[in-house]
Amino acid sequence: MPFVRVDALGADRAKLDGLGRAVHEALIDAIGIPEDDLFQVLTSHDGTTGTFRYDPDYLGVHRDDGIVYVDITMRAGRTDDQKKALYAKIAELAGKYADTEPRNVFVTIHENQFSDWSFGNGIGQYLERNQ
Amino acid sequence: MPFVRVDALGADRAKLDGLGRAVHEALIDAIGIPEDDLFQVLTSHDGTTGTFRYDPDYLGVHRDDGIVYVDITMRAGRTDDQKKALYAKIAELAGKYADTEPRNVFVTIHENQFSDWSFGNGIGQYLERNQ
Amino acid sequence: MPFVRVDALGADRAKLDGLGRAVHEALIDAIGIPEDDLFQVLTSHDGTTGTFRYDPDYLGVHRDDGIVYVDITMRAGRTDDQKKALYAKIAELAGKYADTEPRNVFVTIHENQFSDWSFGNGIGQYLERNQ
């Protein structure tokens, strides 16, 4: 169910895959999603037709062009502690799998409902399961 | 009002247009949006600088690189039945207009409020209309 | 905290930067965000692998391929009047900094919570600050 968008600058395919893997394993570890609940769009921007703007020091965290934007949509219901654990694990694994420093990992979460997902075949699978 | 993002792998312009048309007609049919309420960003990824990760069998639906991510933002208020009808119609029409099999159509919905839209000229048109 | 995506057609780097600047200054002016709270992904689409669909006249606003989609995620809590001021300022400044006419500025807002943000180092900074 999580639907994840990752945006990076000048990343090759291996780096994109490493970032995707980091986010997915963190979701399994911190939030308890199933291992096969994997849906991600990973985009590298060239700095010209796709570019980032960011502050290099907001809230005392130093960032540079290694910054990675992680945008997660998942159903509502996770606790603050689960989200804290998620942020910590993404940052840890992004270093391990993609050489991205923790300071460069930006995450934002969008929450929605069981009714807001279709995983194929034109069916709202979570609606069938939870009614 | 719906704002729609569609992401596909290795799709040509005709396929992107067909996917956009499928989503739009499904929104008209299942949700009752006006025909001229059309706002879409359609992106084809090359598999290198833009790539997907997905599970090929989550919830028993078989997916392949023909997978299409449909990400819809619309105001809150639609019923579960309307959403079910929407998923069914998108999957049906994606086959008709873009040769995308129903099993490869992934949809997620983000809901927001009347106040969260400006359709140009710096005005929150739905705020003016609904106050 | 706002996380902003801007999508335009055939825009060069200067235009993308101008659009990003317009949105950021409008957020500072209308919503009161800190000047250094800047996080944006700016994308130009070529009309082939990335393309838009839009209605040229929905709600009586005339649009053309100069249309710009502005997609803002920020925490909930802003008033309708703040959002109205935001739309007006983005449209004004998009003209000033990017030669984009007000009629071509489309904006949608996604709201989330304090818990939904990590600004680096694997920490939920707003959770620490607001508990």
Side-chain angles (χ1 to χ4, degrees), chain C residues 27-60:
Chain C
L27 283 162
I28 294 168
D29 185 77
I31 305 280
I33 69 160
E35 288 195 24
D36 55 354
D37 187 354
L38 169 66
F39 301 97
Q40 302 182 332
V41 176
L42 312 168
T43 307
S44 174
H45 300 267
D46 62 12
T48 302
T49 62
T51 185
F52 289 180
R53 294 176 83 242
Y54 59 88
D55 187 84
D57 292 300
Y58 182 59
L59 298 182

PDB file of all heavy atoms in Angstrom, chain C residues 27-60:
ATOM      1  N   LEU C  27       4.661  31.823  -0.307  1.00  0.00           N
ATOM      2  CA  LEU C  27       4.459  31.078   0.947  1.00  0.00           C
ATOM      3  C   LEU C  27       4.941  31.893   2.157  1.00  0.00           C
ATOM      4  O   LEU C  27       4.314  31.887   3.215  1.00  0.00           O
ATOM      5  CB  LEU C  27       5.189  29.738   0.892  1.00  0.00           C
ATOM      6  CG  LEU C  27       4.498  28.651   0.050  1.00  0.00           C
ATOM      7  CD1 LEU C  27       5.473  27.537  -0.317  1.00  0.00           C
ATOM      8  CD2 LEU C  27       3.300  28.060   0.804  1.00  0.00           C
ATOM      9  N   ILE C  28       6.042  32.582   1.983  1.00  0.00           N
ATOM     10  CA  ILE C  28       6.555  33.438   3.061  1.00  0.00           C
ATOM     11  C   ILE C  28       5.571  34.581   3.323  1.00  0.00           C
ATOM     12  O   ILE C  28       5.209  34.859   4.467  1.00  0.00           O
ATOM     13  CB  ILE C  28       7.948  34.007   2.674  1.00  0.00           C
ATOM     14  CG1 ILE C  28       8.970  32.881   2.585  1.00  0.00           C
ATOM     15  CG2 ILE C  28       8.383  35.077   3.673  1.00  0.00           C
ATOM     16  CD1 ILE C  28      10.290  33.293   1.923  1.00  0.00           C
ATOM     17  N   ASP C  29       5.131  35.201   2.249  1.00  0.00           N
ATOM     18  CA  ASP C  29       4.288  36.396   2.378  1.00  0.00           C
ATOM     19  C   ASP C  29       2.887  36.062   2.883  1.00  0.00           C
ATOM     20  O   ASP C  29       2.352  36.750   3.758  1.00  0.00           O
ATOM     21  CB  ASP C  29       4.195  37.071   0.994  1.00  0.00           C
ATOM     22  CG  ASP C  29       3.448  38.375   1.042  1.00  0.00           C
ATOM     23  OD1 ASP C  29       4.036  39.372   1.502  1.00  0.00           O
ATOM     24  OD2 ASP C  29       2.254  38.398   0.649  1.00  0.00           O
ATOM     25  N   ALA C  30       2.277  35.004   2.350  1.00  0.00           N
ATOM     26  CA  ALA C  30       0.854  34.747   2.638  1.00  0.00           C
ATOM     27  C   ALA C  30       0.640  33.809   3.822  1.00  0.00           C
ATOM     28  O   ALA C  30      -0.383  33.882   4.505  1.00  0.00           O
ATOM     29  CB  ALA C  30       0.179  34.161   1.390  1.00  0.00           C
ATOM     30  N   ILE C  31       1.600  32.921   4.038  1.00  0.00           N
ATOM     31  CA  ILE C  31       1.413  31.889   5.062  1.00  0.00           C
ATOM     32  C   ILE C  31       2.369  32.092   6.241  1.00  0.00           C
ATOM     33  O   ILE C  31       2.171  31.534   7.313  1.00  0.00           O
ATOM     34  CB  ILE C  31       1.671  30.483   4.430  1.00  0.00           C
ATOM     35  CG1 ILE C  31       0.797  30.244   3.209  1.00  0.00           C
ATOM     36  CG2 ILE C  31       1.512  29.365   5.436  1.00  0.00           C
ATOM     37  CD1 ILE C  31      -0.610  29.821   3.505  1.00  0.00           C
ATOM     38  N   GLY C  32       3.415  32.867   5.999  1.00  0.00           N
ATOM     39  CA  GLY C  32       4.347  33.123   7.089  1.00  0.00           C
ATOM     40  C   GLY C  32       5.365  32.022   7.335  1.00  0.00           C
ATOM     41  O   GLY C  32       5.884  31.889   8.444  1.00  0.00           O
ATOM     42  N   ILE C  33       5.681  31.227   6.318  1.00  0.00           N
ATOM     43  CA  ILE C  33       6.718  30.202   6.540  1.00  0.00           C
ATOM     44  C   ILE C  33       8.088  30.879   6.664  1.00  0.00           C
ATOM     45  O   ILE C  33       8.304  31.975   6.135  1.00  0.00           O
ATOM     46  CB  ILE C  33       6.748  29.143   5.411  1.00  0.00           C
ATOM     47  CG1 ILE C  33       7.250  29.762   4.100  1.00  0.00           C
ATOM     48  CG2 ILE C  33       5.409  28.469   5.227  1.00  0.00           C
ATOM     49  CD1 ILE C  33       7.757  28.733   3.109  1.00  0.00           C
ATOM     50  N   PRO C  34       9.016  30.239   7.365  1.00  0.00           N
ATOM     51  CA  PRO C  34      10.371  30.793   7.476  1.00  0.00           C
ATOM     52  C   PRO C  34      11.043  30.866   6.102  1.00  0.00           C
ATOM     53  O   PRO C  34      10.803  30.021   5.235  1.00  0.00           O
ATOM     54  CB  PRO C  34      11.107  29.779   8.366  1.00  0.00           C
ATOM     55  CG  PRO C  34      10.035  29.023   9.083  1.00  0.00           C
ATOM     56  CD  PRO C  34       8.863  28.992   8.153  1.00  0.00           C
ATOM     57  N   GLU C  35      11.908  31.845   5.931  1.00  0.00           N
ATOM     58  CA  GLU C  35      12.581  32.028   4.631  1.00  0.00           C
ATOM     59  C   GLU C  35      13.431  30.827   4.243  1.00  0.00           C
ATOM     60  O   GLU C  35      13.642  30.561   3.059  1.00  0.00           O
ATOM     61  CB  GLU C  35      13.474  33.279   4.675  1.00  0.00           C
ATOM     62  CG  GLU C  35      12.668  34.565   4.672  1.00  0.00           C
ATOM     63  CD  GLU C  35      13.521  35.779   4.342  1.00  0.00           C
ATOM     64  OE1 GLU C  35      14.572  35.623   3.688  1.00  0.00           O
ATOM     65  OE2 GLU C  35      13.114  36.889   4.741  1.00  0.00           O
ATOM     66  N   ASP C  36      13.942  30.124   5.232  1.00  0.00           N
ATOM     67  CA  ASP C  36      14.848  29.014   4.924  1.00  0.00           C
ATOM     68  C   ASP C  36      14.124  27.659   4.900  1.00  0.00           C
ATOM     69  O   ASP C  36      14.757  26.606   4.870  1.00  0.00           O
ATOM     70  CB  ASP C  36      16.031  28.983   5.896  1.00  0.00           C
ATOM     71  CG  ASP C  36      15.593  28.931   7.353  1.00  0.00           C
ATOM     72  OD1 ASP C  36      14.373  29.034   7.622  1.00  0.00           O
ATOM     73  OD2 ASP C  36      16.465  28.787   8.223  1.00  0.00           O
ATOM     74  N   ASP C  37      12.810  27.714   4.846  1.00  0.00           N
ATOM     75  CA  ASP C  37      12.004  26.484   4.798  1.00  0.00           C
ATOM     76  C   ASP C  37      11.651  26.203   3.335  1.00  0.00           C
ATOM     77  O   ASP C  37      10.525  26.374   2.902  1.00  0.00           O
ATOM     78  CB  ASP C  37      10.753  26.703   5.650  1.00  0.00           C
ATOM     79  CG  ASP C  37       9.921  25.448   5.808  1.00  0.00           C
ATOM     80  OD1 ASP C  37      10.252  24.430   5.173  1.00  0.00           O
ATOM     81  OD2 ASP C  37       8.928  25.498   6.547  1.00  0.00           O
ATOM     82  N   LEU C  38      12.658  25.763   2.588  1.00  0.00           N
ATOM     83  CA  LEU C  38      12.573  25.697   1.124  1.00  0.00           C
ATOM     84  C   LEU C  38      12.887  24.298   0.627  1.00  0.00           C
ATOM     85  O   LEU C  38      14.021  23.824   0.768  1.00  0.00           O
ATOM     86  CB  LEU C  38      13.586  26.697   0.528  1.00  0.00           C
ATOM     87  CG  LEU C  38      13.855  26.616  -0.971  1.00  0.00           C
ATOM     88  CD1 LEU C  38      12.602  26.990  -1.761  1.00  0.00           C
ATOM     89  CD2 LEU C  38      15.013  27.527  -1.350  1.00  0.00           C
ATOM     90  N   PHE C  39      11.897  23.638   0.033  1.00  0.00           N
ATOM     91  CA  PHE C  39      12.074  22.281  -0.493  1.00  0.00           C
ATOM     92  C   PHE C  39      11.208  22.103  -1.736  1.00  0.00           C
ATOM     93  O   PHE C  39       9.986  22.034  -1.625  1.00  0.00           O
ATOM     94  CB  PHE C  39      11.722  21.238   0.577  1.00  0.00           C
ATOM     95  CG  PHE C  39      12.564  21.379   1.807  1.00  0.00           C
ATOM     96  CD1 PHE C  39      12.097  22.070   2.910  1.00  0.00           C
ATOM     97  CD2 PHE C  39      13.864  20.873   1.820  1.00  0.00           C
ATOM     98  CE1 PHE C  39      12.911  22.238   4.034  1.00  0.00           C
ATOM     99  CE2 PHE C  39      14.674  21.040   2.938  1.00  0.00           C
ATOM    100  CZ  PHE C  39      14.201  21.727   4.046  1.00  0.00           C
ATOM    101  N   GLN C  40      11.850  22.055  -2.908  1.00  0.00           N
ATOM    102  CA  GLN C  40      11.091  22.060  -4.168  1.00  0.00           C
ATOM    103  C   GLN C  40      11.685  21.100  -5.195  1.00  0.00           C
ATOM    104  O   GLN C  40      12.897  20.988  -5.310  1.00  0.00           O
ATOM    105  CB  GLN C  40      11.116  23.472  -4.771  1.00  0.00           C
ATOM    106  CG  GLN C  40      10.563  24.559  -3.868  1.00  0.00           C
ATOM    107  CD  GLN C  40      10.554  25.927  -4.515  1.00  0.00           C
ATOM    108  OE1 GLN C  40      11.386  26.221  -5.387  1.00  0.00           O
ATOM    109  NE2 GLN C  40       9.623  26.764  -4.095  1.00  0.00           N
ATOM    110  N   VAL C  41      10.801  20.473  -5.958  1.00  0.00           N
ATOM    111  CA  VAL C  41      11.166  19.705  -7.151  1.00  0.00           C
ATOM    112  C   VAL C  41      10.510  20.389  -8.344  1.00  0.00           C
ATOM    113  O   VAL C  41       9.288  20.514  -8.394  1.00  0.00           O
ATOM    114  CB  VAL C  41      10.665  18.247  -7.073  1.00  0.00           C
ATOM    115  CG1 VAL C  41      10.964  17.506  -8.376  1.00  0.00           C
ATOM    116  CG2 VAL C  41      11.288  17.519  -5.886  1.00  0.00           C
ATOM    117  N   LEU C  42      11.328  20.850  -9.282  1.00  0.00           N
ATOM    118  CA  LEU C  42      10.845  21.615 -10.434  1.00  0.00           C
ATOM    119  C   LEU C  42      11.116  20.812 -11.699  1.00  0.00           C
ATOM    120  O   LEU C  42      12.276  20.465 -11.974  1.00  0.00           O
ATOM    121  CB  LEU C  42      11.573  22.957 -10.507  1.00  0.00           C
ATOM    122  CG  LEU C  42      11.647  23.744  -9.193  1.00  0.00           C
ATOM    123  CD1 LEU C  42      12.647  24.898  -9.314  1.00  0.00           C
ATOM    124  CD2 LEU C  42      10.276  24.271  -8.799  1.00  0.00           C
ATOM    125  N   THR C  43      10.080  20.511 -12.460  1.00  0.00           N
ATOM    126  CA  THR C  43      10.239  19.631 -13.616  1.00  0.00           C
ATOM    127  C   THR C  43       9.672  20.272 -14.874  1.00  0.00           C
ATOM    128  O   THR C  43       8.542  20.759 -14.883  1.00  0.00           O
ATOM    129  CB  THR C  43       9.518  18.291 -13.386  1.00  0.00           C
ATOM    130  OG1 THR C  43       9.955  17.723 -12.146  1.00  0.00           O
ATOM    131  CG2 THR C  43       9.801  17.306 -14.507  1.00  0.00           C
ATOM    132  N   SER C  44      10.477  20.253 -15.941  1.00  0.00           N
ATOM    133  CA  SER C  44       9.998  20.668 -17.252  1.00  0.00           C
ATOM    134  C   SER C  44       9.740  19.422 -18.091  1.00  0.00           C
ATOM    135  O   SER C  44      10.588  18.522 -18.146  1.00  0.00           O
ATOM    136  CB  SER C  44      11.046  21.547 -17.943  1.00  0.00           C
ATOM    137  OG  SER C  44      10.620  21.825 -19.260  1.00  0.00           O
ATOM    138  N   HIS C  45       8.591  19.364 -18.737  1.00  0.00           N
ATOM    139  CA  HIS C  45       8.225  18.212 -19.567  1.00  0.00           C
ATOM    140  C   HIS C  45       8.357  18.607 -21.037  1.00  0.00           C
ATOM    141  O   HIS C  45       8.090  19.743 -21.415  1.00  0.00           O
ATOM    142  CB  HIS C  45       6.796  17.788 -19.243  1.00  0.00           C
ATOM    143  CG  HIS C  45       6.626  17.387 -17.809  1.00  0.00           C
ATOM    144  ND1 HIS C  45       6.747  16.086 -17.383  1.00  0.00           N
ATOM    145  CD2 HIS C  45       6.387  18.116 -16.696  1.00  0.00           C
ATOM    146  CE1 HIS C  45       6.570  16.035 -16.067  1.00  0.00           C
ATOM    147  NE2 HIS C  45       6.338  17.253 -15.625  1.00  0.00           N
ATOM    148  N   ASP C  46       8.766  17.627 -21.858  1.00  0.00           N
ATOM    149  CA  ASP C  46       9.093  17.923 -23.254  1.00  0.00           C
ATOM    150  C   ASP C  46       7.899  17.820 -24.197  1.00  0.00           C
ATOM    151  O   ASP C  46       8.039  18.084 -25.395  1.00  0.00           O
ATOM    152  CB  ASP C  46      10.228  17.008 -23.726  1.00  0.00           C
ATOM    153  CG  ASP C  46       9.844  15.528 -23.677  1.00  0.00           C
ATOM    154  OD1 ASP C  46       8.644  15.213 -23.502  1.00  0.00           O
ATOM    155  OD2 ASP C  46      10.739  14.676 -23.794  1.00  0.00           O
ATOM    156  N   GLY C  47       6.750  17.413 -23.683  1.00  0.00           N
ATOM    157  CA  GLY C  47       5.578  17.294 -24.550  1.00  0.00           C
ATOM    158  C   GLY C  47       5.466  15.934 -25.223  1.00  0.00           C
ATOM    159  O   GLY C  47       4.477  15.651 -25.897  1.00  0.00           O
ATOM    160  N   THR C  48       6.479  15.090 -25.040  1.00  0.00           N
ATOM    161  CA  THR C  48       6.439  13.752 -25.639  1.00  0.00           C
ATOM    162  C   THR C  48       6.508  12.680 -24.547  1.00  0.00           C
ATOM    163  O   THR C  48       5.545  11.968 -24.303  1.00  0.00           O
ATOM    164  CB  THR C  48       7.602  13.567 -26.633  1.00  0.00           C
ATOM    165  OG1 THR C  48       7.495  14.594 -27.624  1.00  0.00           O
ATOM    166  CG2 THR C  48       7.507  12.207 -27.314  1.00  0.00           C
ATOM    167  N   THR C  49       7.643  12.596 -23.872  1.00  0.00           N
ATOM    168  CA  THR C  49       7.733  11.616 -22.779  1.00  0.00           C
ATOM    169  C   THR C  49       7.066  12.162 -21.522  1.00  0.00           C
ATOM    170  O   THR C  49       6.718  11.398 -20.627  1.00  0.00           O
ATOM    171  CB  THR C  49       9.197  11.237 -22.466  1.00  0.00           C
ATOM    172  OG1 THR C  49       9.890  12.419 -22.042  1.00  0.00           O
ATOM    173  CG2 THR C  49       9.877  10.654 -23.676  1.00  0.00           C
ATOM    174  N   GLY C  50       6.928  13.447 -21.452  1.00  0.00           N
ATOM    175  CA  GLY C  50       6.147  14.043 -20.374  1.00  0.00           C
ATOM    176  C   GLY C  50       5.189  15.029 -20.995  1.00  0.00           C
ATOM    177  O   GLY C  50       5.605  15.891 -21.792  1.00  0.00           O
ATOM    178  N   THR C  51       3.915  14.881 -20.685  1.00  0.00           N
ATOM    179  CA  THR C  51       2.945  15.732 -21.365  1.00  0.00           C
ATOM    180  C   THR C  51       1.814  16.097 -20.418  1.00  0.00           C
ATOM    181  O   THR C  51       1.635  15.466 -19.377  1.00  0.00           O
ATOM    182  CB  THR C  51       2.429  15.026 -22.638  1.00  0.00           C
ATOM    183  OG1 THR C  51       1.567  15.904 -23.346  1.00  0.00           O
ATOM    184  CG2 THR C  51       1.674  13.759 -22.286  1.00  0.00           C
ATOM    185  N   PHE C  52       1.106  17.147 -20.742  1.00  0.00           N
ATOM    186  CA  PHE C  52      -0.024  17.602 -19.932  1.00  0.00           C
ATOM    187  C   PHE C  52      -1.313  17.399 -20.709  1.00  0.00           C
ATOM    188  O   PHE C  52      -1.322  17.484 -21.945  1.00  0.00           O
ATOM    189  CB  PHE C  52       0.068  19.106 -19.648  1.00  0.00           C
ATOM    190  CG  PHE C  52       1.150  19.521 -18.696  1.00  0.00           C
ATOM    191  CD1 PHE C  52       1.321  20.873 -18.379  1.00  0.00           C
ATOM    192  CD2 PHE C  52       2.001  18.606 -18.101  1.00  0.00           C
ATOM    193  CE1 PHE C  52       2.307  21.286 -17.500  1.00  0.00           C
ATOM    194  CE2 PHE C  52       2.997  19.010 -17.218  1.00  0.00           C
ATOM    195  CZ  PHE C  52       3.145  20.367 -16.925  1.00  0.00           C
ATOM    196  N   ARG C  53      -2.394  17.198 -20.011  1.00  0.00           N
ATOM    197  CA  ARG C  53      -3.718  17.390 -20.569  1.00  0.00           C
ATOM    198  C   ARG C  53      -4.431  18.386 -19.656  1.00  0.00           C
ATOM    199  O   ARG C  53      -4.302  18.325 -18.440  1.00  0.00           O
ATOM    200  CB  ARG C  53      -4.491  16.074 -20.660  1.00  0.00           C
ATOM    201  CG  ARG C  53      -3.853  15.109 -21.660  1.00  0.00           C
ATOM    202  CD  ARG C  53      -4.549  13.749 -21.700  1.00  0.00           C
ATOM    203  NE  ARG C  53      -5.726  13.730 -22.534  1.00  0.00           N
ATOM    204  CZ  ARG C  53      -6.960  13.484 -22.111  1.00  0.00           C
ATOM    205  NH1 ARG C  53      -7.202  13.264 -20.823  1.00  0.00           N
ATOM    206  NH2 ARG C  53      -7.972  13.471 -22.945  1.00  0.00           N
ATOM    207  N   TYR C  54      -5.149  19.327 -20.270  1.00  0.00           N
ATOM    208  CA  TYR C  54      -5.857  20.339 -19.474  1.00  0.00           C
ATOM    209  C   TYR C  54      -6.994  20.881 -20.309  1.00  0.00           C
ATOM    210  O   TYR C  54      -6.965  20.830 -21.550  1.00  0.00           O
ATOM    211  CB  TYR C  54      -4.912  21.473 -19.058  1.00  0.00           C
ATOM    212  CG  TYR C  54      -4.288  22.178 -20.229  1.00  0.00           C
ATOM    213  CD1 TYR C  54      -4.920  23.261 -20.841  1.00  0.00           C
ATOM    214  CD2 TYR C  54      -3.071  21.748 -20.755  1.00  0.00           C
ATOM    215  CE1 TYR C  54      -4.355  23.889 -21.938  1.00  0.00           C
ATOM    216  CE2 TYR C  54      -2.508  22.370 -21.850  1.00  0.00           C
ATOM    217  CZ  TYR C  54      -3.158  23.443 -22.436  1.00  0.00           C
ATOM    218  OH  TYR C  54      -2.596  24.039 -23.528  1.00  0.00           O
ATOM    219  N   ASP C  55      -7.996  21.390 -19.639  1.00  0.00           N
ATOM    220  CA  ASP C  55      -9.067  22.048 -20.366  1.00  0.00           C
ATOM    221  C   ASP C  55      -8.713  23.525 -20.532  1.00  0.00           C
ATOM    222  O   ASP C  55      -8.307  24.180 -19.570  1.00  0.00           O
ATOM    223  CB  ASP C  55     -10.394  21.919 -19.608  1.00  0.00           C
ATOM    224  CG  ASP C  55     -11.534  22.465 -20.445  1.00  0.00           C
ATOM    225  OD1 ASP C  55     -12.052  21.717 -21.286  1.00  0.00           O
ATOM    226  OD2 ASP C  55     -11.859  23.665 -20.297  1.00  0.00           O
ATOM    227  N   PRO C  56      -8.901  24.075 -21.752  1.00  0.00           N
ATOM    228  CA  PRO C  56      -8.459  25.453 -21.993  1.00  0.00           C
ATOM    229  C   PRO C  56      -9.383  26.510 -21.387  1.00  0.00           C
ATOM    230  O   PRO C  56      -9.024  27.695 -21.405  1.00  0.00           O
ATOM    231  CB  PRO C  56      -8.446  25.559 -23.524  1.00  0.00           C
ATOM    232  CG  PRO C  56      -9.418  24.538 -23.988  1.00  0.00           C
ATOM    233  CD  PRO C  56      -9.370  23.418 -22.982  1.00  0.00           C
ATOM    234  N   ASP C  57     -10.525  26.110 -20.843  1.00  0.00           N
ATOM    235  CA  ASP C  57     -11.468  27.134 -20.381  1.00  0.00           C
ATOM    236  C   ASP C  57     -12.249  26.793 -19.115  1.00  0.00           C
ATOM    237  O   ASP C  57     -13.200  27.504 -18.784  1.00  0.00           O
ATOM    238  CB  ASP C  57     -12.475  27.454 -21.512  1.00  0.00           C
ATOM    239  CG  ASP C  57     -11.801  28.163 -22.671  1.00  0.00           C
ATOM    240  OD1 ASP C  57     -11.254  29.254 -22.462  1.00  0.00           O
ATOM    241  OD2 ASP C  57     -11.793  27.598 -23.783  1.00  0.00           O
ATOM    242  N   TYR C  58     -11.900  25.752 -18.386  1.00  0.00           N
ATOM    243  CA  TYR C  58     -12.677  25.356 -17.198  1.00  0.00           C
ATOM    244  C   TYR C  58     -12.816  26.522 -16.220  1.00  0.00           C
ATOM    245  O   TYR C  58     -11.838  27.201 -15.901  1.00  0.00           O
ATOM    246  CB  TYR C  58     -11.998  24.172 -16.503  1.00  0.00           C
ATOM    247  CG  TYR C  58     -12.742  23.668 -15.293  1.00  0.00           C
ATOM    248  CD1 TYR C  58     -14.051  23.199 -15.390  1.00  0.00           C
ATOM    249  CD2 TYR C  58     -12.139  23.671 -14.043  1.00  0.00           C
ATOM    250  CE1 TYR C  58     -14.743  22.736 -14.273  1.00  0.00           C
ATOM    251  CE2 TYR C  58     -12.812  23.204 -12.918  1.00  0.00           C
ATOM    252  CZ  TYR C  58     -14.120  22.754 -13.036  1.00  0.00           C
ATOM    253  OH  TYR C  58     -14.796  22.305 -11.931  1.00  0.00           O
ATOM    254  N   LEU C  59     -14.049  26.755 -15.775  1.00  0.00           N
ATOM    255  CA  LEU C  59     -14.396  27.851 -14.859  1.00  0.00           C
ATOM    256  C   LEU C  59     -14.104  29.228 -15.468  1.00  0.00           C
ATOM    257  O   LEU C  59     -13.890  30.209 -14.754  1.00  0.00           O
ATOM    258  CB  LEU C  59     -13.698  27.708 -13.512  1.00  0.00           C
ATOM    259  CG  LEU C  59     -14.055  26.445 -12.704  1.00  0.00           C
ATOM    260  CD1 LEU C  59     -13.320  26.456 -11.361  1.00  0.00           C
ATOM    261  CD2 LEU C  59     -15.554  26.335 -12.485  1.00  0.00           C
ATOM    262  N   GLY C  60     -14.078  29.271 -16.799  1.00  0.00           N
ATOM    263  CA  GLY C  60     -13.940  30.559 -17.460  1.00  0.00           C
ATOM    264  C   GLY C  60     -12.542  31.152 -17.455  1.00  0.00           C
ATOM    265  O   GLY C  60     -12.357  32.327 -17.780  1.00  0.00           O
TER     266      GLY C  60
END
